[in-house]
Amino acid sequence: MDILEISDVAKSFGNVKVIDRLSFSVPEHSVFGFIGQNGAGKTTTMKMVLGLLKTDAGEISVNGEKVSFGQTDTNRFIGYLPDVPEFYGFMTPAEYLLMCGQITGMGKKESREKAEELLKLVGLKNADKRIQGFSRGMKQRLGIAQALLNSPKLLICDEPTSALDPVGRKEILEILHSVREHTTVIFSTHILSDVERICDRVAFLHKGKIALEGRIDKLQDLRKGDRTELEFCTPQDAGRFASLLEGCVRLDPVKIRIINKKESDMVGILNILAQNKIPVRRLERLEPTLEELFMEVVA
């Protein structure tokens, strides 16, 4: 089942078309990366999903129910983490989550139990100081706990790691990956390495449209194994090999890259090495990265 369906959605601000007939869907219990450059329309799309912005055309459905601007019934299925979450700094994280639980109609006992469970999940179980003293990473973790408070079917995170240091990013990504058993995660980002680490599906947003979408492994298969890199023991060995095979690119004195036109090209490379007794320190088939795929679709 698709937990989120966006069909033929358009949105303009004045004469500027930000979203242009956008369509994609997010399967349940997936981690979905919504990728785009800054200003590509990622946050605008998220706000339309939340019913905070009116679409000019098209439909959005969450858990099979249509999203209506200003009537946010579908938000009972959603947990939301904005790029810069705000809190009451004078509260402790437990106090804040207890307040949020009561606002959403949860009883005190249920709110307290859920808060304890989530603070443990995000690594803030023993953080009983005031939120105003939290680091950016700690605030992001608390934001995830708050977004998960109502046990949502869809967790939306808008640029959750963009301002964090490497340790903070790693922590947030691990948390998002761990909750996929209980919810579906969609997060917008321009940090492609984060997507490669935890996502199983992605959509590239470019000029208001989806330029490429699908499972990461399937997208990588589009260009899988199209390059081979060899590192030789000496520059002389690299030169001998390059003289025997067309299409070699010298990266440095001992490294050569070859663009493979077909799978059988690897056999020819190995034959040349064996027949001419050319020693090689490293031979590697290079996997395409999301960054390379993204640069291709936005070029």
Side-chain angles (χ1 to χ4, degrees):
M1 174 182 174
D2 291 330
I3 192 67
L4 172 64
E5 295 180 85
I6 295 179
S7 179
D8 214 27
V9 167
K11 181 64 182 177
S12 297
F13 294 102
N15 295 324
V16 179
K17 183 174 288 187
V18 178
I19 301 298
D20 185 11
R21 301 296 177 180
L22 181 67
S23 296
F24 69 92
S25 59
V26 179
E28 198 169 14
H29 294 296
S30 61
V31 181
F32 190 94
F34 192 39
I35 303 170
Q37 298 161 300
N38 289 331
K42 302 185 300 295
T43 298
T44 297
T45 302
M46 298 299 99
K47 288 183 176 180
M48 289 190 290
V49 171
L50 293 164
L52 302 177
L53 277 178
K54 188 176 182 180
T55 62
D56 295 338
E59 289 189 357
I60 300 174
S61 296
V62 176
N63 198 39
E65 295 186 18
K66 183 179 177 181
V67 175
S68 298
F69 170 66
Q71 299 177 0
T72 53
D73 289 345
T74 50
N75 283 356
R76 72 187 187 276
F77 302 123
I78 300 175
Y80 177 58
L81 175 66
D83 56 343
V84 183
E86 296 290 342
F87 306 97
Y88 294 111
F90 60 87
M91 288 183 166
T92 65
E95 290 171 343
Y96 178 76
L97 292 182
L98 183 61
M99 178 197 71
C100 291
Q102 292 175 327
I103 288 174
T104 58
M106 298 170 64
K108 274 192 176 182
K109 182 180 178 182
E110 183 186 4
S111 296
R112 189 175 293 109
E113 291 175 350
K114 191 68 174 179
E116 289 178 0
E117 173 191 333
L118 291 171
L119 290 175
K120 181 179 179 180
L121 173 69
V122 300
L124 295 175
K125 181 180 179 180
N126 299 317
D128 56 357
K129 64 181 180 180
R130 304 298 172 187
I131 298 172
Q132 63 191 9
F134 277 20
S135 66
R136 177 69 184 269
M138 293 174 72
K139 288 181 178 179
Q140 290 293 84
R141 283 187 274 158
L142 179 57
I144 293 176
Q146 184 273 322
L148 291 170
L149 195 61
N150 64 332
S151 301
K153 290 182 175 291
L154 176 64
L155 174 63
I156 296 177
C157 302
D158 190 3
E159 301 278 2
T161 61
S162 60
L164 301 181
D165 60 29
V167 174
R169 284 172 55 197
K170 180 176 181 292
E171 292 172 344
I172 296 301
L173 292 174
E174 288 176 348
I175 292 169
L176 294 179
H177 190 262
S178 70
V179 302
R180 65 184 302 167
E181 296 179 6
H182 309 289
T183 186
T184 302
V185 180
I186 176 172
F187 73 96
S188 64
T189 185
H190 61 276
I191 304 175
L192 301 180
S193 59
D194 289 352
V195 174
E196 286 184 309
R197 287 177 65 176
I198 68 167
C199 290
D200 43 40
R201 300 186 68 90
V202 295
F204 295 117
L205 182 65
H206 181 55
K207 295 183 178 179
K209 297 181 178 181
I210 296 298
L212 195 64
E213 178 192 2
R215 290 187 58 87
I216 288 183
D217 54 355
K218 297 298 183 183
L219 295 179
Q220 289 175 327
D221 280 346
L222 296 176
R223 298 182 64 246
K224 188 173 183 179
D226 64 351
R227 295 168 302 157
T228 300
E229 192 169 292
L230 298 93
E231 182 178 354
F232 294 88
C233 298
T234 67
Q236 290 76 19
D237 290 335
R240 284 179 61 206
F241 180 84
S243 68
L244 296 169
L245 183 68
E246 293 184 1
C248 291
V249 178
R250 294 288 288 267
L251 302 178
D252 64 30
V254 296
K255 289 182 183 178
I256 286 177
R257 180 172 295 171
I258 305 162
I259 305 301
N260 299 63
K261 296 180 181 179
K262 51 186 181 295
E263 290 289 329
S264 60
D265 287 350
M266 179 59 73
V267 176
I269 292 171
L270 295 174
N271 283 336
I272 290 174
L273 292 172
Q275 292 170 5
N276 294 276
K277 298 181 180 180
I278 302 175
V280 62
R281 181 175 293 155
R282 180 176 61 87
L283 186 153
E284 183 180 0
R285 297 288 296 275
L286 300 178
E287 297 289 340
T289 65
L290 279 184
E291 182 177 1
E292 290 170 333
L293 292 172
F294 183 67
M295 294 308 296
E296 284 186 7
V297 300
V298 303

